Amino acid sequence: MNTVLKKLTISCAALIIMMITASGVMAQPINAINVSYVKSPFNLQIMVMKSMGMLEKEFSGDNIAINWHEINSGAKQSQALAAGSLDIASVINTTSVLLANAGGNPVKIIGGVSHPCETFAIVVRNDGPADAAGLKGKTVAGPKGTVLHQMLVAALAGAGLKESDVKFVHMGLPKSRTALLAGQVDAALLAAGLVIKSKEAGARVLTTAKGLVNPILVSAASEKFISEHPDLVARYLKVFRQAMAFINADPEKAIAIGAKEHGISMQDARTLYGWAGFTTHLTSTDIADMKKDVLFLKDNNMISTSVAPASICMPAAFME
């Protein structure tokens, strides 16, 4: 056994013990685990896991099937976790987790996925504003209450402006891009492949989230599922780490999987890979940034009660 694999095996064994000890409850037998399949912005770990059947192999000896559900919306994943139709949200943004808990839906973070700061951007046409200050009086399209919205507010603040200094129109990402290129809005909040495609169409990036906000993508599960099946959660995280180890060992092969899943060129896939900011765990910096997110949500009247970020994270989420 090589040194990397040996360390991973020891780490994963400790993780399983930690999850079971923390919950105090042994898992009850089940015959299927429902997992969300989230490809965007470029969640390579999840694409590798699914493409290579890694979870299926892990649980085949237990006669446990893996049911993948393509749910991109963080809010819809939270709702599915609450309803019990989803057991593990493979990739969900921390803003959605905070909103869920503030609304009485106990969703817990079980591990980190990525910090895709360069994936999120404010995009303008080539003849558009030169900087954030130039957005004053302009129309900006994008999804409200997301890290993209938060990025816009932070960019405006850096230019001495407030959100009220622009006309912010709530709009989904594809429609925002279409409106921008059609000249119906002055700027659009976009992510990942839509940023690349917009640049190819003649638009340009005004700023990315880097230095403004820290987008945090995580894996999560309902408090109930974690309590009842801590061993299954720990084994899911073990496989996630194995996928990350595979990516690190053979990035080109992994990127090829991502390119196929997204239906994009290897060149574009390599760009998204470079922007991804992959991780497997949270840090104290993430908790500090989530506290800022809570303030943002309160300031924008999206939550009325505070949520302590550390309280919605399982101990395993911090394990490297």
Side-chain angles (χ1 to χ4, degrees):
M1 183 181 293
N2 63 47
T3 303
V4 173
L5 183 58
K6 184 176 181 181
K7 287 182 178 179
L8 180 61
T9 301
I10 293 172
S11 175
C12 291
L15 179 62
I16 292 173
I17 294 171
M18 179 186 294
M19 292 292 292
I20 294 175
T21 302
S23 71
V25 180
M26 291 298 293
Q28 298 300 312
I30 63 173
N31 57 23
I33 302 174
N34 293 288
V35 184
S36 62
Y37 183 52
V38 188
K39 295 186 293 185
S40 297
F42 197 70
N43 303 316
L44 195 51
Q45 306 102 313
I46 310 306
M47 291 187 281
V48 165
M49 286 168 67
K50 184 175 184 294
S51 176
M52 298 179 65
M54 296 175 75
L55 281 176
E56 287 81 357
K57 292 173 186 175
E58 169 67 24
F59 291 102
S60 62
D62 304 284
N63 293 317
I64 296 176
I66 303 299
N67 299 325
W68 293 96
H69 304 270
E70 196 157 342
I71 311 174
N72 290 309
S73 164
K76 290 182 179 179
Q77 287 191 81
S78 295
Q79 292 166 6
L81 289 173
S85 57
L86 187 68
D87 299 316
I88 296 175
S90 65
V91 184
I92 186 171
N93 63 79
T94 51
T95 298
S96 292
V97 177
L98 291 169
L99 285 167
N101 281 275
N105 178 8
V107 173
K108 303 296 183 183
I109 294 171
I110 60 175
V113 174
S114 63
H115 298 93
C117 294
E118 295 184 77
T119 299
F120 299 97
I122 300 175
V123 180
V124 297
R125 292 186 302 280
N126 198 44
D127 60 351
D131 52 30
L135 292 174
K136 185 174 183 178
K138 305 295 185 181
T139 300
V140 183
K144 180 178 175 61
T146 63
V147 68
L148 284 163
H149 181 190
Q150 193 172 354
M151 173 186 66
L152 171 64
V153 173
L156 292 172
L161 302 174
K162 299 179 181 179
E163 185 180 336
S164 57
D165 288 316
V166 302
K167 182 181 179 182
F168 180 47
V169 180
H170 174 58
M171 197 178 292
L173 300 188
K175 289 184 178 180
S176 295
R177 175 178 179 269
T178 299
L180 172 69
L181 297 180
Q184 297 168 348
V185 300
D186 302 294
L189 309 181
L190 302 177
L194 290 178
V195 175
I196 293 174
K197 290 178 181 179
S198 297
K199 290 172 67 177
E200 291 173 349
R204 60 181 169 80
V205 171
L206 186 70
T207 183
T208 66
K210 190 173 183 178
L212 295 174
V213 294
N214 179 26
I216 310 169
L217 300 183
V218 299
S219 297
S222 69
E223 188 174 68
K224 181 176 184 293
F225 186 79
I226 294 169
S227 176
E228 293 178 354
H229 304 287
D231 58 326
L232 301 186
V233 174
R235 289 170 68 187
Y236 170 86
L237 292 174
K238 177 186 75 172
V239 174
F240 179 89
R241 284 167 167 75
Q242 289 172 343
M244 193 70 250
F246 172 83
I247 293 168
N248 290 333
D250 196 343
E252 279 295 292
K253 187 173 181 179
I255 291 170
I257 291 173
K260 181 179 179 180
E261 287 296 297
H262 273 265
I264 58 178
S265 68
M266 279 293 288
Q267 181 179 345
D268 286 348
R270 290 189 190 99
T271 296
L272 293 177
Y273 172 82
W275 289 351
F278 299 124
T279 188
T280 57
H281 61 282
L282 299 183
T283 67
S284 58
T285 299
D286 294 323
I287 295 300
D289 286 327
M290 288 170 67
K291 289 179 180 179
K292 296 176 185 177
D293 296 342
V294 171
L295 293 176
F296 169 77
L297 293 172
K298 292 189 75 173
D299 289 344
N300 283 272
N301 300 313
M302 299 188 69
I303 60 173
S304 57
T305 58
S306 290
V307 177
S311 71
I312 62 172
C313 299
M314 296 299 295
F318 299 95
M319 186 173 179
E320 297 186 34

